[in-house]
Amino acid sequence: MTTEVHKPRTPSREALSDPAYQAFLVLRTVFTVAPIVFGLDKFANLLTDWPDYLAPWINDIVPGSGQDAMYVIGVIEIIAGIAVALIPRYGALLVAAWLAGIILNLLTLSGFYDVALRDFGLLVAALALSRLATKYAPARHNS
């Protein structure tokens, strides 16, 4: 017979003072909230006119208009944000992969290289979140 040791769900005061745990919390929060907010804005275009960020070659291969593509993109971003909230280790990898696609799109769209560079920094931060999650949000196993 084995005895299971359950870790408390509430972090201890010691954990909260750990700089690496603080970094995990900040990154998890940002990569949960930002994709959801940006995903929702794909339906409203309040922050910007999102179809302007779609490379013509991508617009040519997706069905419908650029705005139709933004609706699908918005849903994917919302799902990615929820995934980070629930399973940060793998949700962060989903966000990193999504950012890689955005970077590819922006590099083929003249005039958005600065945004592509910024998104590369976000991709690296998403990978850091995934690594931190291996320690601070380990996968749950029923064994």
Side-chain angles (χ1 to χ4, degrees), residues 63-83:
S65 68
Q67 185 58 53
D68 293 336
M70 287 300 136
Y71 295 144
V72 173
I73 289 167
V75 169
I76 293 168
E77 289 175 341
I78 293 166
I79 290 168
I82 293 169

Side-chain angles (χ1 to χ4, degrees), residues 123-136:
L123 183 151
V124 172
L127 293 175
L129 171 59
S130 178
R131 295 299 302 141
L132 286 167
T134 62
K135 179 174 181 178
Y136 296 109

